[in-house]
Amino acid sequence: MEGEVREVEVIHSWSAPRSLSTSLMYSFAQRDDIEVLDEPLYANFLQVTGVERPYRDELLSKMDSDGNKVVKEVIFGPGKKKYRYCKHMAKQRLPNLTSDLMRKGKHFILIRNPLNILAVLRGLCQDLGIPFQPSMLRWESGPREFDGIWAPWWYGSVHKSTSFSKPRAYPSKFPFALYDLLEQSLPFYNMLKRQTRQMVTPLGPSLPIPTLPVPANEKILVWVGDELLPRESAKVSVLDSVVQGGDAVWEGLRIYNRKIFKLEEHLDRLFDSAKALAFSNVPTREAIKEAIFKTLISNGMFDNAHIRLTLTRGKKVTSGMSPAFNLYGCTLIVLAEWKPPVYDNSGGIKLVTATTRRNSPNSIDSKIHHNNLINNILAKIEGNLANAEDAVMLDKDGFVSETNATNIFMVKKGQVLTPHADYCLPGITRTTVMDLVVQEKLVLHERRISLSEFHAADEVWTTGTMGELTPVVMIDGRVIGNGEVGPVTRQIQSAYKALTAESGLPIPIPTNEKA
């Protein structure tokens, strides 16, 4: 019943001092089902901290400075409305206060000016479990009876307002004397921003936060430069060459049974690629190994994990193409994730042939394992649009080279064939599988292979570190063999599994981590 004293549902707003927090309080005060409290813990804050304010004595004489009493009797005391909105300053949450303050009610933190206050208000009401009321959008100008004693000092601009003002189209010039303070405070802002329920894209609408393929990868540590950082803090400079022009080299590594498979071979190729691109100030082999080991051990990743190892030319002193601007040395990135094989290695996948041709060595040599992957990405887009897992890429003469992400093999009448590596990357998994084919006493041919030969193959599979050995059951709508995983494919899969289980460079796991 209206006017009946009852238990209320408390909504806590937390922020730094700002006009928007007061405007938001005024907005909620327009509702017919809510009462508001303006900084009920202010007196406790002044009493405990001894901070001076021009209104300090008046405030302490009119507000209760016993914080826990305020929490119990004022904030959570009975009321006549269904809801109670408490506007708090974050600094007023002091250690002397009872844990009930944070344990009870619903809390939200105001960390920035919303780009669209209408959308924010509706979303905020939805998150708080209360219906949105249009009356929240406007209020009469002037002070309010629930304003704190400090209102004449702080609320001048809000008292002149009657609604939320539109944000400026462009910001004011930044006071660069505060640049160091900006660098110190941004990590805290970003930490709070990550707790929001939507991704904010300044140049477009907000997007829902996507679900990760492996949820455990939400909290991982990533090596960037010379340190480990949380996932959301793991970033490179906008002046880094990988941002400026895809100027970097990379490797994919897999972890099996506390060992890194083919690490030395991958590092050989990384250094070869860096040399071909004339990188300077490259980290030593041992330094890169140490970074890999530290990343894996810190994350506790000793099996069923994958590493994307990237070495960029480094940060530039100014934007531009020339490597002469790269005076800081290379940037090393070790991104380790929990990642099972990315394809269906039991039932097989479907491929289509892309119109995008594989790079010729006349333009970009694919034997340099570089990050400029637009050639592969264009082919992958074609595969995605055709609802295929990947796309076959042909060379300039129309012969099969590889897929957009893997090398490719076929079986015909018991013999195994794979294309020459003239246009494709001679993958380390490809070389490993070629050795296994010979060890299994099968005939291996490395030659030019036409697309029609793959269409008519008895079996087809692809190879790559991330996907391992993946059967292909259809190419361009043609069923491969009988449409099932073939016997030679299974034979090589088994041999590859046995090899990964027994070989690799052991991770130097500390004794206390081995249990």
Side-chain angles (χ1 to χ4, degrees), residues 353-360 363 366 374-376 378-379 382 392-402 423 451:
T353 301
T355 59
T356 304
R357 295 299 175 98
R358 195 66 177 96
N359 286 331
S360 165
S363 52
S366 297
I374 191 65
N375 181 235
N376 308 71
L378 288 172
E382 294 188 60
V392 175
M393 300 186 72
L394 309 180
D395 64 24
K396 68 178 182 63
D397 295 321
F399 292 97
V400 172
S401 177
E402 59 180 345
Y423 289 80
L451 181 59

Side-chain angles (χ1 to χ4, degrees), residues 134-161:
S135 61
M136 299 173 69
L137 300 177
R138 300 193 66 82
W139 52 85
E140 294 183 0
S141 62
R144 297 289 181 276
E145 62 179 14
F146 52 76
D147 284 347
I149 292 169
W150 51 89
W153 282 268
W154 303 109
Y155 293 179
S157 62
V158 180
H159 286 166
K160 296 177 182 178
S161 71

Side-chain angles (χ1 to χ4, degrees), residues 431-488:
T431 300
T432 302
V433 168
M434 291 172 71
D435 291 341
L436 289 175
V437 167
V438 174
Q439 290 177 24
E440 294 293 309
K441 303 188 184 309
L442 297 167
V443 177
L444 174 68
H445 297 285
E446 185 181 13
R447 63 169 175 82
R448 278 185 158 187
I449 307 174
S450 68
L451 181 59
S452 61
E453 288 182 273
F454 270 95
H455 288 162
D458 298 327
E459 302 177 41
V460 176
W461 70 72
T462 63
T463 60
T465 299
M466 190 177 287
E468 299 179 338
L469 199 152
T470 304
V472 177
V473 295
M474 181 176 288
I475 301 177
D476 299 326
R478 279 82 159 179
V479 174
I480 303 302
N482 61 4
E484 298 179 356
V485 181
V488 177

Side-chain angles (χ1 to χ4, degrees), residues 210-434:
T211 301
L212 301 183
V214 181
N217 288 326
E218 181 179 1
K219 295 181 179 180
I220 56 175
L221 298 172
V222 183
W223 186 277
V224 181
D226 59 359
E227 62 181 337
L228 283 166
L229 297 167
R231 174 182 172 129
E232 293 301 322
S233 301
K235 298 175 174 66
V236 297
S237 169
V238 294
L239 294 171
D240 196 283
S241 285
V242 73
V243 179
Q244 294 275 318
D247 189 4
V249 295
W250 68 280
E251 291 295 323
L253 304 168
R254 269 214 172 272
I255 316 305
Y256 300 97
N257 191 27
R258 301 170 183 259
K259 297 185 292 291
I260 307 173
F261 188 62
K262 300 288 181 178
L263 175 60
E264 300 297 348
E265 290 87 341
H266 280 286
L267 290 180
D268 286 343
R269 187 169 65 186
L270 184 80
F271 283 106
D272 286 348
S273 296
K275 186 173 184 179
L277 291 178
F279 279 17
S280 59
N281 299 308
V282 176
T284 66
R285 194 181 193 94
E286 288 307 310
I288 294 177
K289 283 185 179 180
E290 282 297 305
I292 292 171
F293 292 147
K294 288 177 180 178
T295 303
L296 291 174
I297 293 169
S298 297
N299 284 291
M301 294 182 180
F302 306 135
D303 192 27
N304 204 30
H306 177 272
I307 291 176
R308 176 78 173 221
L309 180 68
T310 304
L311 186 69
T312 84
R313 196 183 295 273
K315 189 170 66 172
K316 294 176 178 289
V317 294
T318 186
S319 62
M321 182 188 299
S322 175
F325 294 144
N326 292 85
L327 302 178
Y328 295 96
C330 294
T331 302
L332 179 67
I333 304 169
V334 185
L335 171 58
E337 295 180 281
W338 301 107
K339 192 184 289 286
V342 295
Y343 302 111
D344 181 359
N345 290 350
S346 298
I349 63 172
K350 298 178 182 178
L351 304 177
V352 294
T353 301
T355 59
T356 304
R357 295 299 175 98
R358 195 66 177 96
N359 286 331
S360 165
N362 288 325
S363 52
I364 301 177
D365 191 349
S366 297
K367 292 169 184 59
I368 303 174
H369 206 199
H370 53 79
N371 280 61
N372 196 332
L373 298 176
I374 191 65
N375 181 235
N376 308 71
I377 292 170
L378 288 172
K380 179 62 175 174
I381 290 171
E382 294 188 60
N384 288 347
L385 293 174
N387 293 317
E389 281 78 5
D390 271 331
V392 175
M393 300 186 72
L394 309 180
D395 64 24
K396 68 178 182 63
D397 295 321
F399 292 97
V400 172
S401 177
E402 59 180 345
T403 78
N404 56 273
T406 59
N407 295 123
I408 191 166
F409 290 74
M410 61 168 281
V411 179
K412 188 68 174 181
K413 297 182 178 179
Q415 298 187 4
V416 179
L417 300 90
T418 193
H420 283 300
D422 294 338
Y423 289 80
C424 71
L425 176 77
I428 290 168
T429 308
R430 171 183 182 269
T431 300
T432 302
V433 168
M434 291 172 71

